[in-house]
Amino acid sequence: ASYWQREYYGSACLLYTPSACWAFDYSADGAVNNLNSSLSTDTHPYRYTFLQSATARYNDNRWTVLARLLYSLYVNRAHGGEAGKNMRRLSPSLSLAYRLLQDKDFYLRFSYKNIFRAPNFNESYYYHYGSTDLDPEITNQLNLGITWKGQLCHCLTGEILVDGYYNKIKDMIVAVPYNMFVWTHINVGKVISKGIDASLLASYHFNSKQTLSLSGNYTYNKCENRTSKTSEYYLNQLAYMPVHSGSASFSYENPLVNLSVHGTGMSMRWANNEHYNGNSIPGYIEAGLSMYKTIDIGGKLTLRGDILNIFNKQYNIIYMYPMPGRSFMMSATYSF
């Protein structure tokens, strides 16, 4: 099947800054979307989207406070059949950041968000893959984090971000296998997602032309079905959601050729929300090597070579669809 989707979008905003500390903003966005396909079942759906937000920000040397109220309206229609539901929502959010030390980039952060997400056209109208019965996804999110950025010595700089979050999600939109070849979207009535995100970046500068950099991130995410305590699926981790995931890279930038070693990985996942024997997907770690150099020849010419899955590891991201083994890639880009 072939699909054609179009979008017409416009936006406007008004900013008022009565003082150096205060700023106020009003923004309005509008969009018109439509979709048609080569299928005989096509209903030619279209959507009008209206978004309006009012924002207030306070910022001084220690505090940054941001408050926002967003109004979302989605009007769905179809020329030849059933359209998705009309949706509207008023969504507040508040974020606070406090500089713990007056002369250091060391912040304590807190935020609350009420997030509203309407099903997109893929999730609503694509054959088998979508459903016009989907409800919008509504999330209440709490986040507490710290940020530090600084220089440990004259050669070494670093940045650390750590966030803990707790999300309460109603009617979460998830994709699940309809059969081995076709997926579809459903709502999961109630989901609790809680976890930790942590990232690290450190750079050692030998001189202006040579730098060693180390970066990494780690996520712990318990994303559990909390729809009904009487269900056998209660507290099950949602399909394709790893509890542990992360990545890391180590690079050396120098005048000759830049080198980078990188890897990604995740823990075991489940292929569906039911969790029965034989539908688990083993975890994996995949590593690669990159070499790249930029040459100034009137413009910038970048030459790059990559070895992907350097240890020829066999692994699956999607159940029963193995990813490629070791592979090689070369590219050249020129910008001017």
Side-chain angles (χ1 to χ4, degrees):
S2 299
Y3 293 88
W4 295 267
Q5 184 172 340
R6 304 163 191 86
E7 178 175 302
Y8 308 92
Y9 191 92
S11 64
C13 63
L14 178 65
L15 176 65
Y16 175 55
T17 53
S19 68
C21 295
W22 284 98
F24 300 91
D25 171 83
Y26 169 77
S27 299
D29 299 74
V32 180
N33 299 75
N34 61 51
L35 174 74
N36 61 285
S37 73
S38 59
L39 297 172
S40 60
T41 56
D42 184 24
T43 61
H44 298 280
Y46 57 100
R47 171 183 290 174
Y48 299 106
T49 302
F50 304 96
L51 305 174
Q52 298 182 76
S53 70
T55 305
R57 188 192 68 181
Y58 174 80
N59 183 32
D60 62 18
N61 190 46
R62 302 294 286 267
W63 282 98
T64 300
V65 182
L66 184 70
R68 174 175 291 143
L69 192 61
L70 172 66
Y71 176 71
S72 307
L73 173 64
Y74 297 87
V75 179
N76 292 293
R77 297 287 186 268
H79 289 293
E82 184 180 359
K85 303 173 183 178
N86 294 335
M87 295 160 280
R88 66 183 67 204
R89 182 76 177 183
L90 199 59
S91 304
S93 64
L94 175 68
S95 65
L96 308 172
Y98 178 68
R99 178 179 282 188
L100 296 171
L101 301 175
Q102 181 112 12
D103 57 345
K104 303 292 183 181
D105 287 332
F106 186 25
Y107 293 90
L108 177 66
R109 296 176 284 105
F110 168 81
S111 66
Y112 163 76
K113 289 183 180 180
N114 179 270
I115 304 170
F116 174 82
R117 189 176 85 80
N120 59 40
F121 272 23
N122 294 26
E123 296 163 340
S124 298
Y125 300 109
Y126 275 43
Y127 185 63
H128 275 314
Y129 187 74
S131 171
T132 55
D133 292 329
L134 287 174
D135 290 316
E137 181 179 294
I138 300 172
T139 302
N140 285 294
Q141 181 184 77
L142 290 172
N143 189 96
L144 183 64
I146 59 170
T147 301
W148 174 86
K149 183 178 181 180
Q151 191 158 349
L152 299 173
C153 64
H154 71 285
C155 295
L156 182 61
T157 59
E159 183 175 353
I160 297 173
L161 290 88
V162 180
D163 286 272
Y165 60 87
Y166 180 90
N167 299 338
K168 187 176 180 180
I169 309 166
K170 179 185 177 184
D171 295 321
M172 184 174 182
I173 301 171
V174 297
V176 295
Y178 179 78
N179 56 40
M180 184 175 174
F181 304 102
V182 179
W183 287 51
T184 190
H185 279 83
I186 63 170
N187 286 117
V188 178
K190 184 179 178 181
V191 173
I192 297 295
S193 176
K194 52 189 176 182
I196 296 172
D197 287 330
S199 63
L200 165 71
L201 174 63
S203 298
Y204 187 86
H205 306 274
F206 293 100
N207 51 50
S208 61
K209 296 183 178 181
Q210 296 189 75
T211 302
L212 281 176
S213 296
L214 172 67
S215 65
N217 64 75
Y218 166 75
T219 297
Y220 170 82
N221 180 24
K222 289 289 287 183
C223 192
E224 300 173 335
N225 188 338
R226 299 286 188 94
T227 303
S228 173
K229 291 184 178 181
T230 60
S231 170
E232 60 181 307
Y233 312 132
Y234 187 70
L235 297 182
N236 279 5
Q237 182 84 355
L238 292 193
Y240 288 95
M241 296 284 186
V243 176
H244 306 278
S245 61
S247 65
S249 68
F250 181 75
S251 62
Y252 174 44
E253 296 182 358
N254 60 87
L256 183 60
V257 61
N258 300 318
L259 301 172
S260 175
V261 179
H262 46 84
T264 61
M266 61 181 64
S267 61
M268 180 273 290
R269 291 142 292 138
W270 295 96
N272 57 43
N273 295 328
E274 283 75 20
H275 294 195
Y276 54 79
N277 290 334
N279 79 333
S280 62
I281 308 172
Y284 71 90
I285 296 177
E286 186 265 341
L289 174 66
S290 300
M291 296 176 289
Y292 53 97
K293 183 176 178 63
T294 299
I295 306 170
D296 194 343
I297 52 173
K300 291 190 179 297
L301 174 65
T302 301
L303 305 175
R304 185 182 180 96
D306 289 273
I307 305 176
L308 308 175
N309 196 1
I310 194 169
F311 298 113
N312 203 31
K313 175 73 174 179
Q314 185 177 3
Y315 66 97
N316 293 3
I317 294 178
I318 304 299
Y319 185 61
M320 298 185 68
Y321 285 85
M323 296 298 291
R326 185 184 301 114
S327 59
F328 304 87
M329 182 172 65
M330 297 185 68
S331 66
T333 58
Y334 181 74
S335 59
F336 54 91

